[in-house]
């Protein structure tokens, strides 16, 4: 059954039309993406500028409160549909609401099942992260296994939001388009934060590792932008996603600055830096900021690097030529990022030679093509549901 047909009659569970509930839950999920982003971004700056690590610091509270609210929204809809279906029969003789399936004995749409599974992954990551800290000490790298597992769960939940938008509104509905754009923006933004540790890899190793950020960014960003374009059917979607992403990043800085002003936490960063190795994430962040003459953890300029590539995606039209559009994005990202990296004083000691630069370009294009191909396949699969 196609999605428009599924929306042609009410999604009823136990006499309750759950379609408005699904829509309300989706807006709550999207709101938690924003507040969790505030918490995560603030937490990163807290570690870099304050140096204290406690579960009950304000950024952690904001982040985990957001996760809890997302869990309530995800599980709540499934719980209502599961309970309602026990005693109700939907129109046309169906025993489940329109668009719902049963998974592990729970009733809900594919999108909401994916949403609660994403939250479950995040909940599993939390005790693993605590154990990791107990075994290996406090760390601030975003690429530790439990952190990556938590980010995976968050992204699964975000992909679920894209599916829910299609389940909740018919094609062409403005609410569906807006929800999809916002969801893809948060997908893009989380990938951008996840790629930030790449700068440390470039600083420490140089050579081909100099291109860690362009290669990783090309795959993750191309995936997000092509997926958003295909799901919204809007040619200009990549520009909106990157622009919204910059606004979200600026809002993260604003929330962090406001939080520091109100709470006035006592910095112990010098003690941390004294105890840290010179190659630790905190030490490298401070050294790179010192060389560049910028604020530690306060630069939003890299968030603009994908904009030129987004313009090229629009020109290539990812709706019809996703692979060509992804390659164009990779070329555009490299054309902006590489010169900026060469001009960075922090990376002056690891500037690559011509052969490494050529291979870096090839890898960036290959990564972008892979991301675009995967996005097109996923978009087609979502659209077929």
């Amino acid at each position: 059954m196609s999605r428009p047909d599924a929306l042609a009659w009410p999604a009823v569970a136990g006499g309750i039309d759950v379609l408005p509930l699904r829509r309300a839950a989706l807006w709550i999920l999207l709101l938690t993406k924003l507040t969790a982003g505030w918490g995560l971004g603030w937490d990163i700056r807290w570690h870099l500028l304050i140096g204290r690590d406690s579960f009950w610091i304000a950024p952690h509270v904001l982040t985990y409160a957001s996760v809890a609210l997302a869990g309530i929204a995800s599980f709540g809809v499934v719980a209502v549909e599961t309970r309602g279906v026990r005693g109700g029969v939907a129109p046309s003789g169906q025993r489940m609401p329109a668009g719902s399936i049963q998974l592990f004995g729970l009733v809900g749409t594919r999108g909401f099942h994916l949403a609660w599974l994403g939250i479950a992954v995040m909940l599993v990551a939390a005790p693993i992260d605590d154990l990791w800290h107990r075994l290996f000490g406090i760390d601030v790298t975003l690429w530790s296994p439990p952190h990556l597992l938590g980010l995976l769960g968050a992204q699964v939940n975000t992909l679920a939001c894209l599916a829910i938008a299609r389940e909740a509104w018919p094609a062409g509905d403005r609410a569906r388009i807006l929800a999809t754009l916002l969801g893809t923006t948060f997908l893009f933004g989380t990938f951008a934060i996840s790629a930030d540790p790449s700068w440390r890899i470039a600083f420490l190793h140089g050579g081909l590792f100099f291109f860690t950020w362009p290669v990783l960014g090309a795959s993750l960003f191309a995936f997000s932008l092509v997926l958003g374009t295909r799901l919204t059917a809007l040619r200009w979607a990549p520009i909106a996603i990157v622009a919204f992403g910059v606004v979200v990043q600026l809002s993260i800085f604003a929330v962090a600055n406001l939080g520091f002003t109100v709470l006035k936490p006592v910095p112990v960063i010098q003690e941390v830096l004294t105890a840290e190795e010179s190659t630790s994430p905190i030490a490298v962040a401070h050294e790179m900021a010192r060389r560049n003459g910028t604020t530690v953890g306060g630069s939003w300029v890299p968030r603009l690097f994908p904009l030129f590539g987004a313009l090229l995606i629009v020109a290539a039209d990812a709706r019809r030529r996703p692979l060509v559009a992804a390659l164009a994005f990779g070329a555009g990202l490299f054309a902006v990022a590489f010169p900026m990296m060469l001009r960075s004083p922090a990376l002056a000691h690891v500037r690559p030679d011509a052969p490494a630069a050529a291979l870096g370009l090839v890898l960036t294009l290959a990564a972008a093509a892979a991301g675009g191909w995967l996005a097109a396949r996923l978009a087609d699969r979502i659209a077929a549901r």
Side-chain angles (χ1 to χ4, degrees), residues 246-271:
V246 172
V247 172
V248 170
Q249 184 64 30
L250 291 174
S251 74
I252 290 174
F253 288 150
V255 169
N257 290 336
L258 178 61
F260 288 140
T261 300
V262 172
L263 297 178
K264 296 181 173 59
V266 179
V268 292
I269 192 63
Q270 290 305 319
E271 300 174 19

Side-chain angles (χ1 to χ4, degrees), residues 221-240:
F221 301 157
F223 173 81
S224 303
L225 299 179
V226 171
L227 182 65
T229 303
R230 303 274 287 186
L231 292 181
T232 61
L234 297 176
R235 185 170 183 169
W236 49 265
I239 299 175

Side-chain angles (χ1 to χ4, degrees), residues 106-137:
L106 301 174
V107 177
T109 66
R110 289 179 172 84
F112 275 103
H113 281 306
L114 193 62
W116 74 255
L117 286 171
I119 295 296
V121 171
M122 297 177 71
L123 293 176
V124 169
I128 296 177
D129 186 45
D130 181 67
L131 177 61
W132 183 271
H133 289 312
R134 292 176 185 273
L135 293 175
F136 303 107

Side-chain angles (χ1 to χ4, degrees), residues 18-32:
V18 296
L19 187 56
L21 181 64
R22 294 173 184 172
R23 292 172 174 173
L26 175 57
W27 293 122
I28 292 174
L29 286 173
L30 291 173
L31 176 62
T32 64

Side-chain angles (χ1 to χ4, degrees), residues 142-354:
L142 204 59
W143 287 359
S144 70
H147 290 170
L148 291 175
L149 184 62
L151 289 170
L152 173 63
Q155 292 296 67
V156 168
N157 187 267
T158 304
L159 288 172
C161 290
L162 304 182
I164 294 170
R166 300 183 69 86
E167 296 163 350
W169 290 283
D173 191 286
R174 291 182 178 180
R176 170 168 155 175
I177 293 173
L178 177 59
T180 303
L181 281 175
L182 291 175
T184 312
T185 296
F186 295 131
L187 188 76
F188 172 85
T190 302
F191 278 145
I193 292 176
S194 302
D196 282 343
S198 300
W199 300 107
R200 173 175 172 266
I201 302 299
F203 177 86
L204 292 177
H205 303 291
L208 195 57
F209 289 102
F210 184 88
F211 300 98
T212 304
W213 189 87
V215 172
L216 188 59
S219 61
L220 299 178
F221 301 157
F223 173 81
S224 303
L225 299 179
V226 171
L227 182 65
T229 303
R230 303 274 287 186
L231 292 181
T232 61
L234 297 176
R235 185 170 183 169
W236 49 265
I239 299 175
I241 292 168
V242 174
F244 288 167
V246 172
V247 172
V248 170
Q249 184 64 30
L250 291 174
S251 74
I252 290 174
F253 288 150
V255 169
N257 290 336
L258 178 61
F260 288 140
T261 300
V262 172
L263 297 178
K264 296 181 173 59
V266 179
V268 292
I269 192 63
Q270 290 305 319
E271 300 174 19
V272 174
L273 289 174
T274 301
E276 291 278 356
E277 297 181 1
S278 61
T279 58
S280 71
I282 288 181
V284 169
H286 278 261
E287 180 60 20
M288 292 186 69
R290 185 190 68 79
R291 296 188 186 189
N292 285 332
T294 58
T295 302
V296 180
S299 177
W300 56 272
V301 174
R303 296 296 187 266
L304 290 174
F305 289 177
L307 185 57
F308 180 56
L311 290 170
L312 295 181
I313 287 183
V314 173
D317 195 353
R319 298 172 302 176
R320 296 186 299 158
R321 295 180 291 272
L323 189 57
V324 173
L327 284 169
F329 173 80
L333 183 67
F334 192 89
V336 173
F338 185 41
M340 295 294 290
M341 295 172 73
L342 289 178
R343 287 197 290 269
S344 171
L347 299 176
H349 66 294
V350 288
R351 287 173 182 162
D353 55 21

